Each structure stands twice: as structure tokens, then as C-alpha cells.
């Protein structure tokens, strides 16, 4: 169980697949004195991820992996161990980690999902929410377990959907909330006693 004592920051890796706005936000947050995390490593499942381009301007080590087989996961676990990573934050990470990987990492893996879980697990969340004429949506930070988007919920933020919203506007609105929610959830998760 990871826990922040206030003196030392938790060595954290971020896993991404795309744009990386949550990653950038977490990196920014990690630099605050009051932040419980220190971002030590970023792994991407996509070599063309925008987030990777951004990292070239920083000193943070980044690596690309397919995340598609056991061999990859074994290599990743080795790197995490070598860099003494205690926590993984999934941020727009679009691969599914194996049960074995999650267990080997003691379950210290968080994810952010753009819906009010347990509703709308999986992909194309905003499209499905709009199609179903939902009045509310939001985002959730949760622990990762072996079932997709089903681990213990740490924090959620609910927002109202306007009649004029479409998947694009909704995604933009929710992303803004994600950037507030993820640091808050980290603080809550890491200060539990
Ligand atoms: C975010 O909305 C995140 O919640 C979502 O992808 C987007 C990534 O944006 N994640 C998932 O759907 C995971 N199943 P970002 O790359 O700009 O952080």
C-alpha cells in the first residue's frame, strides 16, 4: 500500500496513449511543493502520442511499448522496479493491463475515465452518453483491477449536459474537470491512513 508521509514524494509513472493533457497536468501538479507525487517515468503505448513529443522538452524519461504481450509487461515491470516506481497513473491509456501485471504491482494503479462510473465503461463514452440523452455526465478516478473500469472509485465529478452539447463539446468540458479531479483524487488516495 503506498502512502505519502509528507516528507517524501511517491515515485510515479504515467501511462499514456495519446494527447497527454492529463499527463501534462499531472507533471505540472507534481512540481508543486504540496504534491504527494514525483513523476519519474512516462510509458506510452503509441510512439506518435502527442504527450511523447511534449516530454522531449522535459527531463522526464519516456519509453514506448506495445503493451500487447507478457514479454512487454515483464520488461515494463523490470523498468518500474529499476526506477523504484510505487504508483502508476493511467492517463488516457488505451490498453488493458493483465491481471498478472496489476497483481504484481500490488494494485497501486489509478485510472481516470470520462464518465460517471459504473455507467459508460469502455470506449466512445461521450457518443453513447449523448445518444442516450443523459442529463449528466462527468469523470471518475478509480483504482485499476482486472475488470475494465471497475475498480474502487476514489473521486467523481458530475457535470450537467446542455441540450446543445455534442460528443466533442462534452469531451472538452469533461477534460477540463479531469484536470482538477485527478490531482484531488491522488491527494485523497495517498493520504489515507
Ligand atoms: C481523457 O478524457 C481520459 O479520461 C480518457 O481519454 C482522454 C485522454 O485525454 N481515457 C479513457 O477513455 C480511458 N478509458 P488526454 O490524453 O488529453 O489526457
Amino acid at each position: 500500500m503506498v502512502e505519502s508521509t509528507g516528507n517524501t514524494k511517491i515515485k510515479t509513472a504515467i501511462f499514456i496513449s495519446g494527447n497527454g493533457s492529463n499527463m501534462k497536468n499531472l507533471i505540472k501538479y507534481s512540481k508543486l511543493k504540496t504534491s504527494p507525487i514525483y513523476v519519474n517515468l512516462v510509458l506510452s503505448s503509441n510512439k506518435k502520442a502527442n504527450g511523447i513529443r511534449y516530454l522531449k522538452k522535459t527531463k522526464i524519461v519516456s519509453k514506448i511499448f506495445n503493451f500487447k504481450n507478457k514479454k512487454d509487461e515483464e520488461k515494463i515491470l523490470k523498468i518500474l522496479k529499476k526506477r523504484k516506481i510505487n504508483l502508476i497513473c493511467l492517463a488516457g491509456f488505451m490498453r488493458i493491463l493483465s491481471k498478472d501485471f496489476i497483481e504484481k504491482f500490488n494494485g497501486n494503479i489509478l485510472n481516470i475515465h470520462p464518465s460517471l462510473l459504473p455507467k459508460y465503461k469502455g470506449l466512445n463514452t461521450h457518443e453513447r452518453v449523448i445518444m442516450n440523452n443523459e442529463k449528466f455526465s462527468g469523470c471518475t478516478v478509480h483504482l485499476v483491477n482486472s475488470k475494465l473500469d471497475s475498480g474502487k472509485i476514489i473521486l467523481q465529478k458530475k457535470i450537467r449536459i446542455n441540450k446543445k452539447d455534442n460528443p466533442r463539446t462534452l469531451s472538452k468540458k469533461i477534460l477540463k474537470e479531469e484536470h482538477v479531479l485527478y490531482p484531488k483524487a491522488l491527494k485523497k488516495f495517498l493520504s489515507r491512513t
Side-chain angles (χ1 to χ4, degrees):
M1 193 199 232
V2 279
E3 202 175 306
S4 169
T5 59
N7 301 324
T8 45
K9 293 193 177 194
I10 304 288
K11 285 203 178 84
T12 302
I14 303 177
F15 288 9
I16 63 166
S17 298
N19 211 23
S21 73
N22 274 293
M23 174 203 78
K24 280 187 225 166
N25 184 60
L26 288 182
I27 291 174
K28 205 171 131 202
Y29 171 66
S30 75
K31 290 180 180 155
L32 299 179
K33 236 182 166 174
T34 50
S35 157
I37 62 158
Y38 167 69
V39 179
N40 192 275
L41 175 72
V42 174
L43 300 187
S44 172
S45 64
N46 169 12
K47 63 175 186 228
K48 289 184 180 154
N50 272 335
I52 289 295
R53 232 177 292 156
Y54 167 82
L55 287 171
K56 299 223 164 92
K57 293 186 263 169
T58 74
K59 284 184 183 152
I60 297 169
V61 173
S62 61
K63 293 186 188 296
I64 321 282
F65 282 99
N66 246 323
F67 285 92
K68 277 198 168 152
N69 53 46
K70 233 185 145 96
K71 259 197 175 157
D72 259 2
E73 286 199 338
E74 274 163 15
K75 277 190 211 156
I76 293 162
L77 280 166
K78 256 190 198 161
I79 293 172
L80 295 172
K81 199 168 170 196
K82 195 175 153 206
R83 299 192 73 86
K84 299 192 169 69
I85 300 291
N86 291 312
L87 178 74
I88 299 172
C89 291
L90 308 184
F93 180 68
M94 297 303 183
R95 291 276 204 271
I96 293 173
L97 297 168
S98 74
K99 188 173 177 220
D100 197 40
F101 182 95
I102 296 165
E103 275 170 10
K104 280 193 180 139
F105 208 74
N106 284 330
N108 286 317
I109 310 176
L110 301 185
N111 181 40
I112 186 147
H113 185 75
S115 81
L116 291 173
L117 290 174
K119 288 175 101 177
Y120 300 99
K121 297 172 183 175
L123 296 175
N124 305 319
T125 315
H126 307 304
E127 284 80 358
R128 290 185 284 137
V129 162
I130 296 276
M131 263 218 327
N132 288 344
N133 289 316
E134 296 280 5
K135 288 197 170 54
F136 297 95
S137 188
C139 44
T140 305
V141 175
H142 65 96
L143 271 167
V144 172
N145 65 12
S146 58
K147 285 190 189 147
L148 182 71
D149 299 329
S150 298
K152 186 174 174 240
I153 291 173
I154 295 164
L155 272 185
Q156 280 187 319
K157 172 74 183 177
K158 187 175 179 180
I159 64 149
R160 183 180 283 280
I161 303 173
N162 295 332
K163 285 211 175 88
K164 282 187 186 160
D165 270 325
N166 56 47
R168 199 179 50 83
T169 59
L170 185 60
S171 131
K172 232 174 142 182
K173 263 192 216 171
I174 290 179
L175 202 54
K176 218 170 147 191
E177 297 298 341
E178 290 182 33
H179 297 164
V180 179
L181 191 74
Y182 216 155
K184 265 195 193 167
L186 272 167
K187 213 160 202 174
K188 182 176 175 196
F189 177 66
L190 293 170
S191 64
R192 77 223 133 119
T193 48

